[in-house]
Amino acid sequence: MLARRYIYRVIGLLVLLLFVAFFGVPLLWLLLAPTKTDYQLAHQAPLAFGSLGTFIHTFNRVINYQGGLMLTWLKNSAIYSGGGTALALLAAIPAGYGLALTQFIGRRTLLAVTLVVMIMPATALVMPLFLEASAVNLVGTAWAVILPFAFFPFGVYLAYIYFSSTIPKDLLAAARIDGAGEWGVFLHVALPLARPIVALVAFFAFVGDWTNYYLPFVMTYTNSEYPVTVGLQILIGSAPIFSPTASGYAGSEIYRPDLAMATLIGALPILIIFLFAQRTLVKGMLAGATKG
Amino acid sequence: MATVTFKGASRIYPRAKNPAVNELNLEIRDGEFIVLVGPSGCGKTTSLRMLAGLEPVDAGDIFIDERSVVRLPPRERDIAMVFQNYALYPHMDVAGNLGFALKIAKVKKSEIKTRVAEAAKILDLEDYLDRKPGQLSGGQRQRVAMGRAIVRQPRVFLMDEPLSNLDAKLRVATRSEIAALQRRLGVTTVYVTHDQVEAMTMGDRVAVMKDGVLQQVDVPSVLYDSPVNAFVAGFIGSPAMNLVEGTVGSEGVAIGSTVVAVPRALKDTAGTGKVTVGLRPESLELAGEGAGIPAVVNLVEELGAEAYIYARLAHHVDQATFAATPDFIVRVNPKSAPKSGSAVELHVKPDSMLLFDADSGARITAA
Ligand SMILES: Nc1ncnc2c1ncn2[C@@H]1O[C@H](COP(=O)(O)OP(=O)(O)OP(=O)(O)O)[C@@H](O)[C@H]1O
Ligand SMILES: [Mg+2]
């Protein structure tokens, strides 16, 4: 009996380890790659450690690439994602609240529509959005990226779930009786209680915007407008090893460790935000699991 | 302060077969403490929410003073409500909860402070003003909910089972506190409960509801002595009134094979045939052999000053309906209470019997 349980445990552990290895090894590789030169990367063992000096050197190369283009891209990403997230929150939180806790004609239909557009692949909308943006002369401006980012049905759905599962209707009734109008009820009672879901929606929106590639790729034209994701593509394009024809500018060749470093730099802001917001996020994700 | 009038007010929930509240007519006087009571699902909460403006009125009208309020949103009705689960704002401290309505009404900060302090003093909450509701006991939360209502100085108080989350002892203590507070403030109050003892002890008048229909509204003693129907008779009083089938004959009313005399005038209106006989536990007494309704004692409940016996009427013992027939409850002197299992005879005290129509349950009174 005891032996059997022991065996199950060992098997369970092995399975878990397998998964850890499967997903962990590539991450580890990515972290280690910038510590090596291009030659070392190609010839040493995959998980070998190069040197800290090389790591710093690679970092400087990437940051200074073409006079700090990487920083411009990061700044663009921050503007697009920040603006998109802010607008998405402004729309999604009140929308979720309205769908969950107020009564109006067409509520169910609107909820169904939200679900449908939520499961629709976002890339499917990029072309029509581009035509729309170009029709109103927004292409090439930050708005062409920010406004589509503001459309975030998943956030509406998350807010809807949160409001309908965690906020007792009597609480809103109490506020109405206490003299609050509908906006007062939302601002004074519902919103302060919705902090975890505001954080969660903001996080998902921000990550989605930050990592989005196709939309900004279509909506922006020049190096100085690109966000990090599109910039990475430019970097790959100017790496001789991946595209021998594109020679790039003299002296600014990009090598494979540089690409790994650029990827790390691009992902870092999200990691930092996650670490800071972790506790609130977990609260938001667990909301509704327990009462009160 | 104000009067409240329900005029044929009805509420039919979407897709519901029967109205949750059916043509409610009720006039509540200025400063009165009225209690709505009835079994679960009878429409008490719905009536209250209609008055509060949280539930639409599908037919009829509701007036506060002379003004119809059915088209006004809750915030324009100048009422305060205590919810069953208190509905305190979890993110505000006690002071914030108490002062919320005043803050919304843009009352000056200094005045909010005075009024909150005043209410906190009345309700003994001064030490908790900076705590969040989550850090309070059930009784303290209940007081905050009360306090939130009284700082408003509204025209009408509504309370929906405000004591149901308290333990028995605290409930009894709080019961009298609320009644005393209401009398002191003199604010018209509609209080909902399903506990008839609470209703009888607190209310100036009590309105008994069943299935969305108001059965009777009157002062507690009238409800007890002259219920309009078998439902009110059985609902009001603890232990409950005994209701048993009887047959009106020329001599009186036969319960089983025992004939109990009834006043001539009452018998005349009753006609002949089946009726429902209502007997309070104190309307019965133990009698000598051959002088009353034979019964067998199932259980004796000793309460110190008094005792109740739960007895099975002899003519019910062999009936098929045995299981469905409730015990007869009789109040007896604890010093001479019979043992359980013993056979007794129950004598009906003169003029204490109530008769109800066997079908409709309506009270039969002397013409
Ligand atoms: N939101 C609703 N939608 C549909 N039906 C409802 C709704 N609220 C209440 N009802 C129904 O209306 C009837 C009256 O309900 P109400 O809540 O007024 O009863 P109550 O007397 O307060 O009961 P309790 O003592 O259990 O609180 C019940 O049959 C209930 O099922
Ligand atoms: Mg109720």
Side-chain angles (χ1 to χ4, degrees):
Chain A
M1 197 56 205
L2 211 73
R4 235 181 55 210
R5 219 198 270 168
Y6 188 70
I7 288 173
Y8 281 140
R9 260 202 117 110
V10 169
I11 292 176
L13 262 173
L14 281 177
V15 171
L16 287 178
L17 274 178
L18 204 73
F19 274 100
V20 168
F22 188 77
F23 292 106
V25 166
L27 275 177
L28 195 61
W29 184 90
L30 196 66
L31 273 175
L32 290 170
T35 65
K36 293 176 264 194
T37 62
D38 198 54
Y39 180 83
Q40 286 172 326
L41 188 69
H43 293 92
Q44 283 185 351
L47 293 182
F49 180 75
S51 77
L52 205 60
T54 314
F55 187 83
I56 292 167
H57 180 71
T58 314
F59 180 81
N60 285 331
R61 274 177 59 82
V62 171
I63 290 294
N64 293 322
Y65 173 72
Q66 291 207 10
L69 207 48
M70 187 73 196
L71 293 178
T72 307
W73 294 338
L74 281 170
K75 191 192 76 194
N76 289 339
S77 276
I79 291 171
Y80 298 153
S81 309
T85 301
L87 288 183
L89 279 180
L90 229 50
I93 301 295
Y97 169 80
L99 286 172
L101 294 171
T102 62
Q103 235 108 63
F104 57 91
I105 295 164
R107 193 185 72 96
R108 284 172 168 280
T109 321
L110 213 54
L111 194 59
V113 170
T114 306
L115 281 173
V116 169
V117 289
M118 190 177 95
I119 56 179
M120 215 159 78
T123 38
L125 278 179
V126 168
M127 272 310 145
L129 278 172
F130 173 76
L131 295 176
E132 192 175 49
S134 109
V136 291
N137 281 327
L138 283 181
V139 177
T141 72
W143 291 112
V145 182
I146 291 177
L147 286 179
F149 277 176
F151 179 74
F152 192 43
F154 180 54
V156 175
Y157 183 71
L158 280 180
Y160 162 77
I161 295 283
Y162 183 86
F163 281 119
S164 55
S165 65
T166 61
I167 305 225
K169 286 201 165 175
D170 275 354
L171 210 54
L172 307 182
R176 287 189 184 112
I177 288 181
D178 271 349
E182 288 311 305
W183 270 107
V185 174
F186 177 70
L187 290 177
H188 292 295
V189 179
L191 197 56
L193 292 173
R195 257 191 236 151
I197 200 63
V198 172
L200 191 68
V201 172
F203 181 72
F204 281 145
F206 193 84
V207 171
D209 296 348
W210 187 275
T211 55
N212 196 327
Y213 166 77
Y214 190 47
L215 182 96
F217 172 70
V218 170
M219 296 289 192
T220 53
Y221 286 150
T222 66
N223 246 342
S224 61
E225 291 171 0
Y226 293 148
V228 166
T229 43
V230 182
L232 271 180
Q233 183 63 39
I234 301 300
L235 280 185
I236 293 173
S238 52
I241 189 120
F242 290 119
S243 41
T245 51
S247 60
Y249 307 86
S252 65
E253 286 89 1
I254 282 293
Y255 300 102
R256 284 166 289 184
D258 301 329
L259 292 175
M261 176 54 90
T263 311
L264 286 179
I265 293 175
L268 201 63
I270 288 181
L271 195 69
I272 292 172
I273 289 175
F274 180 74
L275 288 179
F276 274 100
Q278 202 182 12
R279 278 190 38 184
T280 327
L281 291 181
V282 169
K283 238 197 246 162
M285 287 186 249
L286 292 182
T290 56
K291 272 182 77 180
Chain B
M1 266 157 272
T3 63
V4 172
T5 312
F6 288 84
K7 271 216 176 95
S10 298
R11 171 69 178 137
I12 305 166
Y13 283 107
R15 286 181 295 281
K17 257 211 320 272
N18 300 311
V21 175
N22 197 350
E23 295 189 19
L24 177 61
N25 285 301
L26 186 58
E27 286 187 26
I28 303 166
R29 292 188 275 271
D30 184 19
E32 191 174 24
F33 192 117
I34 199 152
V35 180
L36 298 185
V37 71
S40 186
C42 71
K44 308 179 293 287
T45 298
T46 306
S47 309
L48 209 59
R49 292 174 61 91
M50 285 158 72
L51 175 53
L54 300 172
E55 210 63 73
V57 176
D58 295 317
D61 213 337
I62 300 177
F63 299 87
I64 296 181
D65 284 333
E66 304 308 310
R67 181 161 178 224
S68 167
V69 294
V70 293
R71 283 202 178 71
L72 299 181
R75 71 194 143 95
E76 285 171 34
R77 298 191 184 195
D78 197 11
I79 41 171
M81 182 155 170
V82 178
F83 289 83
Q84 180 169 0
N85 51 17
Y86 313 141
L88 302 179
Y89 310 121
H91 56 295
M92 302 178 197
D93 58 16
V94 170
N97 268 280
L98 295 178
F100 181 72
L102 302 180
K103 189 177 128 191
I104 292 289
K106 302 211 162 60
V107 173
K108 273 209 303 283
K109 277 228 172 79
S110 56
E111 195 189 334
I112 295 182
K113 214 159 166 203
T114 350
R115 276 163 75 174
V116 165
E118 225 166 75
K121 187 155 178 234
I122 293 174
L123 292 161
D124 214 1
L125 285 168
E126 287 154 306
D127 296 341
Y128 309 105
L129 282 175
D130 50 8
R131 288 217 207 156
K132 295 274 171 67
Q135 304 163 314
L136 298 175
S137 73
Q140 289 159 349
R141 281 180 212 180
Q142 198 281 328
R143 296 210 297 276
V144 177
M146 285 294 298
R148 201 166 59 177
I150 66 175
V151 286
R152 294 263 314 272
Q153 307 175 344
R155 289 193 295 172
V156 186
F157 282 146
L158 309 182
M159 304 187 192
D160 191 358
E161 310 210 20
L163 305 183
S164 62
N165 287 333
L166 304 183
D167 66 56
K169 208 167 157 199
L170 193 53
R171 191 151 60 212
V172 173
T174 315
R175 196 154 85 192
S176 44
E177 277 169 26
I178 291 182
L181 185 63
Q182 191 274 339
R183 247 128 252 179
R184 212 177 97 201
L185 300 172
V187 177
T188 313
T189 301
V190 186
Y191 184 104
V192 161
T193 176
H194 63 263
D195 179 350
Q196 57 89 21
V197 178
E198 214 169 286
M200 298 291 272
T201 51
M202 296 178 83
D204 292 328
R205 284 191 303 155
V206 176
V208 183
M209 294 182 72
K210 179 196 175 209
D211 298 336
V213 179
L214 178 65
Q215 307 287 311
Q216 185 174 10
V217 50
D218 220 315
V219 297
S221 61
V222 172
L223 286 185
Y224 192 84
D225 295 332
S226 316
V228 294
N229 59 32
F231 173 79
V232 176
F235 191 80
I236 298 291
S238 169
M241 179 186 275
N242 302 296
L243 294 168
V244 67
E245 185 180 276
T247 313
V248 185
S250 55
E251 310 284 314
V253 177
I255 299 171
S257 52
T258 314
V259 176
V260 182
V262 287
R264 169 134 212 132
L266 179 56
K267 199 164 74 63
D268 285 348
T269 39
T272 54
K274 294 227 183 306
V275 289
T276 300
V277 178
L279 290 163
R280 296 255 174 230
E282 65 271 21
S283 304
L284 293 156
E285 57 194 352
L286 297 176
E289 213 169 305
I293 312 162
V296 179
V297 179
N298 264 345
L299 178 83
V300 182
E301 195 177 75
E302 303 252 13
L303 298 176
E306 55 196 11
Y308 291 95
I309 61 170
Y310 291 71
R312 181 70 59 165
L313 298 191
H315 72 278
H316 282 156
V317 172
D318 352 282
Q319 277 182 5
T321 53
F322 180 81
T325 320
D327 280 329
F328 234 63
I329 308 170
V330 181
R331 190 170 79 185
V332 296
N333 184 336
K335 298 218 170 52
S336 57
K339 296 266 162 303
S340 72
S342 58
V344 293
E345 295 205 7
L346 307 174
H347 175 251
V348 178
K349 291 181 186 168
D351 286 351
S352 64
M353 186 162 66
L354 303 181
L355 298 184
F356 304 97
D357 187 284
D359 300 318
S360 69
R363 171 93 178 274
I364 301 168
T365 49

